[in-house]
């Protein structure tokens, strides 16, 4: 067995990512495209409300950047100290962010919200402050994004997903989710 596969098994990422991906697919998630792929082509992202999940599937522990690629919306610096990024990282977990599009008074769709998120990550001054920690990951372009449309309020679905994550992780939220 090669060293990479051995490390993945030790960290629980081979089985964990497979289980996470299968669970998400069984619950109606689709897409599973890297951020790099989505920066090039966003076709296929639904123009409907829903929720999305960002996954870390690399065989190594993450490397953090002092200065990420996130945009300075309203001239506010999106970057934080590496020590805070490390403190927020949930070891051995593939889910790094859970987001929503639409719900309440918002007319956002998965396509429009993910487009905003990607533009923010490319340094544009876009109002997508949530999930900004991922843009300080050295390999952010390799993160995987999947999505699910929903007729339920996406805010409620997102809150439920974060609550379930916290229940399985000693009260900790996904890495880039800063609030419930």
């Amino acid at each position: 067995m090669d060293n990479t596969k051995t490390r993945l098994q030790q960290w629980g990422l081979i089985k964990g990512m497979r289980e996470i991906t299968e669970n998400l697919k069984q619950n109606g998630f689709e897409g599973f495209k890297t951020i790099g792929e989505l920066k090039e082509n966003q076709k296929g992202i639904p123009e409907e409300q829903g929720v999305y999940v960002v996954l870390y599937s690399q065989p190594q522990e993450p490397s953090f950047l002092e200065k990420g690629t996130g945009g300075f919306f309203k001239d506010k610096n999106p970057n934080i100290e590496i020590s805070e990024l490390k403190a927020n990282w949930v070891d051995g977990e593939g889910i790094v962010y859970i987001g929503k599009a639409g719900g309440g008074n918002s007319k956002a769709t998965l396509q429009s919200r993910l487009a905003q998120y990607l533009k923010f990550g490319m340094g544009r001054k876009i109002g997508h402050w949530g999930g900004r920690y991922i843009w300080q990951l050295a390999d952010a372009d390799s993160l995987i994004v999947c999505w699910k449309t929903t007729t339920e309020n996406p805010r409620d679905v997102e809150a439920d997903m974060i609550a379930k994550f916290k229940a399985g992780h000693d009260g900790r939220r996904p890495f880039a989710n800063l609030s419930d």
Side-chain angles (χ1 to χ4, degrees):
M1 185 179 300
D2 70 296
N3 288 338
T4 300
K5 191 169 183 181
T6 302
R7 283 195 315 267
L8 283 169
Q9 287 178 328
Q10 288 171 342
W11 296 337
L13 291 177
I14 286 180
K15 180 179 176 189
M17 277 309 297
R18 188 176 310 133
E19 286 177 357
I20 289 168
T21 302
E22 287 306 313
N23 186 317
L24 289 166
K25 286 179 180 178
Q26 289 172 4
N27 283 284
F29 282 82
E30 54 189 20
F32 297 93
K33 306 229 182 237
T34 67
I35 284 179
E37 291 171 322
L38 291 173
K39 284 180 178 178
E40 297 292 322
N41 182 355
Q42 296 169 26
K43 290 180 183 173
I45 301 174
E47 293 186 35
E48 298 176 52
Q49 70 177 17
V51 292
Y52 57 98
V53 175
V54 180
L55 303 167
Y56 182 84
S57 64
Q58 297 304 302
Q60 68 276 356
E61 294 180 37
S63 293
F64 300 107
L65 304 172
E66 281 189 43
K67 183 177 186 247
T69 61
F72 281 63
F73 182 65
K74 296 185 179 180
D75 295 323
K76 190 172 178 185
N77 186 351
N79 300 298
I80 62 162
E81 295 292 325
I82 290 179
S83 60
E84 188 173 338
L85 294 169
K86 287 180 178 180
N88 265 26
W89 188 257
V90 182
D91 287 328
E93 176 54 53
I95 295 175
V96 294
Y97 182 62
I98 300 169
K100 66 184 172 315
N105 294 329
S106 173
K107 300 295 182 203
T109 66
L110 286 163
Q111 187 177 69
S112 68
R113 194 67 177 143
L114 284 169
Q116 286 178 331
Y117 195 44
L118 295 169
K119 287 176 184 174
F120 180 86
M122 291 187 282
R124 302 270 303 276
K125 294 182 179 189
I126 302 290
H128 197 305
W129 200 246
R132 69 185 181 276
Y133 285 12
I134 73 157
W135 305 116
Q136 280 185 261
L137 289 170
D139 53 2
D141 277 1
S142 67
L143 296 171
I144 298 168
V145 182
C146 60
W147 53 81
K148 172 184 174 176
T149 61
T150 179
T151 55
E152 297 175 61
N153 185 330
R155 293 173 191 267
D156 296 338
V157 176
E158 177 196 41
D160 184 55
M161 290 177 69
I162 292 171
K164 286 178 181 172
F165 183 97
K166 286 174 62 176
H169 296 86
D170 296 323
R172 297 185 70 193
R173 289 185 291 271
F175 166 70
N177 283 96
L178 306 182
S179 63
D180 297 344

